[in-house]
Amino acid sequence: MTGEARNYLDHACELPSLGGPLETRTYTLYVPPNLPEGAAVPLVVVLHGGFGTGSQARGSYRWDEQADQGGFAVAYPDGLVRAWAVGGGCCGRPGEQGVDDVAFIAAMVARVGETLRVDPARVYATGISNGGLMAYRLACDTTLFAAIGPVAATRLGGCDHPAPVSVIHVHGDADHNIALDGSPGDGFATIDGPPVPEVIDGWRAVDGCAAPAVTTAGGVTTALSSCPDGRAVELIVVAGAGHQWPGSVPKPVLERALGLDPPSTALDATAAIWTFFAAHPRPTSR
């Protein structure tokens, strides 16, 4: 194995997509140089937000650095036209035209498994905004993931019979694009999904969790529920944080030019999500 990113530009799946029945889809795979040779390793799928790319997510959210420390691989897929179809007609052209991004992500995970020995009990998905919405869609429509970690997101579309999954959700209480309370957002897509606490309560019900233990420190409020079979559901709310990934790489020039919220320094969301993922693999069969 090498520590270089591996870009599989020839990956193709038969999907109902913008380019027709056969669409070439792309992703970047980061493999740390220190992974034990031949060992089954965790895989984290990092989903960019709307208007982003896998390369942008890789450069912004510090997952390569976390992978070096934690000993796992990271896949950064690219949404078509910089967006993901997550249900409810969202988002962008993929949402309007019914692109099957769930099938693409599932195919990508399988393709990575041909390259690395991936531990199927330790496959995870995280993402911000449109990417966080996609993480919820994956949890609703597949059983591939042991846990998901949406950031600045909610759930859109149907989710009638989800399988139990561990969830860690990070959100700023000053997010005006995808509001914590479910009110219509100010962003390009005008997201007005259910309130985030309601979404989290739904996953607690799916997982059969206990009532949450709530703690607050340094403007970060954590509500953590323990669930059967070693699962957990956790909501982290960061006071004063807007629509951003806490602890991500600051880009002040771009933030000023585009009116983006600067990343909060109250929480390292990447480290928090990975700590949660590492503690919550898929339960072993009894």
Side-chain angles (χ1 to χ4, degrees):
M1 297 180 182
T2 73
E4 297 178 352
R6 302 174 183 178
N7 196 4
Y8 295 98
L9 297 178
D10 60 347
H11 180 68
C13 313
E14 290 189 0
L15 301 171
S17 59
L18 301 182
L22 183 63
E23 180 73 29
T24 298
R25 303 294 303 265
T26 60
Y27 66 92
T28 297
L29 176 65
Y30 178 71
V31 182
N34 58 347
L35 292 185
E37 190 69 34
V41 299
L43 173 67
V44 175
V45 177
V46 178
L47 299 154
H48 63 76
F51 303 105
T53 65
S55 176
Q56 168 269 318
R58 185 180 177 216
S60 297
Y61 308 132
R62 306 183 192 272
W63 276 101
D64 286 8
E65 177 183 338
Q66 195 67 52
D68 289 339
Q69 297 173 14
F72 59 91
V74 191
Y76 300 94
D78 296 305
L80 287 173
V81 202
R82 297 175 176 247
W84 303 106
V86 300
C90 186
C91 292
R93 288 175 62 197
E96 293 171 359
Q97 300 189 18
V99 172
D100 194 345
D101 279 319
V102 171
F104 163 50
I105 299 299
M108 182 197 69
V109 170
R111 178 68 179 270
V112 172
E114 297 172 2
T115 304
L116 296 173
R117 187 183 170 202
V118 174
D119 184 345
R122 296 185 292 168
V123 178
Y124 309 99
T126 184
I128 182 170
S129 191
N130 187 196
L133 296 169
M134 189 66 208
Y136 274 122
R137 177 53 41 207
L138 292 169
C140 288
D141 292 357
T142 79
T143 58
L144 284 174
F145 300 94
I148 62 168
V151 177
T154 186
R155 181 186 56 76
L156 296 180
C159 191
D160 295 333
H161 303 289
V165 64
S166 291
V167 177
I168 178 172
H169 184 123
V170 178
H171 217 102
D173 69 0
D175 189 333
H176 297 292
N177 290 72
I178 300 181
L180 190 67
D181 65 3
S183 57
D186 296 337
F188 180 82
T190 316
I191 302 297
D192 58 350
V196 171
E198 181 180 307
V199 174
I200 295 300
D201 284 344
W203 283 107
R204 290 185 180 124
V206 168
D207 290 350
C209 305
V214 181
T215 59
T216 299
V220 177
T221 298
T222 299
L224 175 61
S225 297
S226 298
C227 318
D229 298 323
R231 293 187 180 90
V233 175
E234 181 173 6
L235 173 61
I236 300 176
V237 177
V238 183
H243 193 68
Q244 42 74 61
W245 185 292
S248 61
V249 178
K251 298 181 179 179
V253 174
L254 188 63
E255 290 157 12
R256 287 194 297 270
L258 299 180
L260 304 176
D261 293 326
S264 172
T265 59
L267 176 75
D268 182 342
T270 299
I273 292 169
W274 171 246
T275 297
F276 182 91
F277 284 173
H280 298 96
R282 187 190 310 279
T284 56
S285 301
R286 297 180 177 178

